[in-house]
Structures are given as C-alpha cells and as structure tokens.
Amino acid sequence: MTMAVPQAQELIAPAHWRTVDFLSDLHLQAAEPETLALFQRYLAHSPADALFLLGDLFEVWVGDDACDEPGSFEAALAQVLAAAARQRPVYFLHGNRDFLVGAAFFRRTGVAGLADPALLDFHGQRLLLSHGDLLCLDDVDYQRFRVLARSSAWQQQFLAQPLAVRRTQARGIRAESEARKQSGAAYADVHGPAALAWLQAARAHTLIHGHTHRPAEHTLAPGYRRVVLSDWDAAAAPPRADVLRLTPAGLERIAIALM
Ligand code: MN
C-alpha cells in the first residue's frame, strides 16, 4: 500500500520556548483514575513552555457535546485541559481514539488543534509530529476505516445520534478491537520507508509519534530517526508514563511515573 505524502502544518517555536514536552496515548478514561491523577500531577510540575499532545489523549471521544453533560468525565477532562492551557500553550493532534475532538472542545479549553503531521521548528531543529496511525500502512482494514471515519459525511451521521447511542456504539467498537488484540493478531507497526518519505518532504530529521505503544528510537536511514512515545498506565506494575522533553540540547525521555 502506498500513499501520498501529506503536507505538514508548520509551527515555529517562539524564541522564549526553552523546553517543550511531547506525550501521547494516555487513553484517559473514567475507569483509570490513577492515570488522570498522574497527568494532573505532571501538569502541575512540568517545566515545559509548551505541551504537544500527540493523540489518544482520551480512550474514546464521542463528540464535544459530551462536555456539556453535567458531571460527565468529558466535562472534567475539559476543565483539566482548560487549566493546563491557561498555564502554557497546549497543542493537540488527533489519535485514532479521539479523532472526534472538534472545534467546540478547542474553543472551550483553549487547546490549539494541529494537523497530522505537524512540523515544529524549534530554534532550527525541525521535528515532525504525528500520532502515527496514518503510517501503519500494513493495517489495511484500519486505513479503510480511517478514510471513512475522517469523512465529514460519516462524522455528521455519527454525531447526529443521541449521546447515549454514541457511547454504546463506541463501547461496541472498542470491544471488537479488544477481541482482535486477544486473538493474537499482529499489530501493524509504522512503515519505515513511508516515515522516511514524510521526513524528507518536511526537511526534518526526527519524527516523534505514538500510537504503537512501543517506546523506542529507530534509525530510518543515516541521519533520520523516529522516536516513539510510550502509552500511559499509572496503575500498571511498573507504572508506564513518559514524555519526550525537547530543549536546545536535544531530546530526552523522562519517566513521569517516578515523579
Ligand atoms: Mn492510537
């Protein structure tokens, strides 16, 4: 399977940014309060001048109107994000679980939406940012679903349903994907040549992405690398939660669970 190289949205870091944090795949959900608590602790203590949330911040997102439901988990999450965005710029790009985060959420929280991929120029270091799902080309079924689910026709139809119906449908889709995982089906990884093509088109040498939950650094070609974020699970033993921290000296992986 081949694909056109998407045009990256470019963002130039203001001169005063010294520290930028990247994180993804927190999969925040009501059933895992420990991970939300760790995220809130992290938000209170991070020295970052800007945060980049690279998708699957939420386990599932069935529409921004879920934030309007009094007492909903989404309403609480929106408050957490709004507080974070008052402290420093917070950017978000969509994952495959939270691709329905929309304009109303961004208005409500002050979080800024980014295209996938996005290019950050940080004092001359050019980093390409993506969730990573679009690069898992070998998962043909998923790529087909992705095209459908990102179409405005599909989204309008889905969002027109009552919130309770959407919540039920999302649970069904998740149960299906869990069953597939349990069946031992191999999970597609990022396609190396496609990732390299994205980097070269963006004149960048480092790709940062999540999605695969396989934290590592891979050399794609001499001088080109992809750096993979971890997922977060504060209740796991040992707890999993790290961020990639960028300073003028380079990238460093920080274990948040030890904070
Ligand atoms: Mn994902």
Side-chain angles (χ1 to χ4, degrees):
M1 190 170 172
T2 56
M3 65 180 306
V5 175
Q7 177 84 40
Q9 175 186 352
E10 293 214 20
L11 185 75
I12 297 175
H16 69 270
W17 285 9
R18 308 312 292 168
T19 305
V20 172
D21 281 357
F22 305 95
L23 44 160
S24 72
D25 300 283
L26 278 72
H27 292 265
L28 296 174
Q29 52 193 302
E32 288 185 9
E34 300 89 347
T35 303
L36 177 58
L38 183 61
F39 182 51
Q40 290 182 277
R41 261 196 329 275
Y42 157 77
L43 290 173
H45 296 290
S46 172
D49 299 303
L51 303 183
F52 285 78
L53 309 172
L54 303 185
D56 287 0
L57 176 65
F58 309 123
E59 170 69 0
V60 67
W61 196 260
V62 295
D64 295 344
D65 55 338
C67 301
D68 299 327
E69 203 177 47
S72 70
F73 186 62
E74 290 87 348
L77 291 175
Q79 276 190 8
V80 170
L81 271 295
R86 280 193 295 270
Q87 291 183 311
R88 54 172 87 79
V90 178
Y91 297 88
F92 170 89
L93 59 79
H94 293 113
N96 53 301
R97 301 301 195 99
D98 49 19
F99 63 94
L100 284 173
V101 168
F105 177 83
F106 295 131
R107 271 197 307 275
R108 184 185 195 110
T109 59
V111 170
L114 279 180
D116 185 347
L119 183 286
L120 174 66
D121 185 323
F122 181 78
H123 308 302
Q125 293 186 60
R126 291 171 64 84
L127 300 112
L128 193 62
L129 314 175
S130 176
H131 181 58
D133 57 316
L134 191 51
L135 282 165
C136 291
L137 300 182
D138 294 334
D139 194 346
V140 176
D141 287 346
Y142 170 69
Q143 294 301 339
R144 207 171 286 139
F145 171 75
R146 191 183 192 281
V147 170
L148 181 70
R150 301 294 174 108
S151 71
S152 56
W154 186 94
Q155 296 195 357
Q156 275 167 25
Q157 205 174 33
F158 182 81
L159 292 171
Q161 303 175 102
L163 192 51
V165 173
R166 282 177 267 152
R167 289 195 192 283
T168 305
Q169 284 188 4
R171 271 195 296 275
I173 293 171
R174 274 168 56 203
E176 231 172 82
S177 111
E178 281 305 309
R180 206 156 60 109
K181 226 188 286 179
Q182 300 301 326
S183 77
Y187 252 67
D189 204 350
V190 160
H191 190 263
L196 181 60
W198 280 27
L199 281 173
Q200 288 171 335
R203 292 179 292 111
H205 289 263
T206 300
L207 169 67
I208 298 177
H209 71 83
H211 180 62
T212 62
H213 301 194
R214 293 171 186 156
E217 183 170 330
H218 301 276
T219 300
L220 295 163
Y224 294 92
R225 62 177 175 166
R226 66 179 176 95
V227 187
V228 190
L229 290 155
S230 83
D231 68 325
W232 282 39
D233 185 349
R240 290 193 306 278
D242 57 39
V243 307
L244 287 169
R245 180 160 292 162
L246 177 67
T247 66
L251 266 181
E252 188 186 0
R253 195 180 292 273
I254 310 279
I256 295 305
L258 302 177
M259 265 175 38

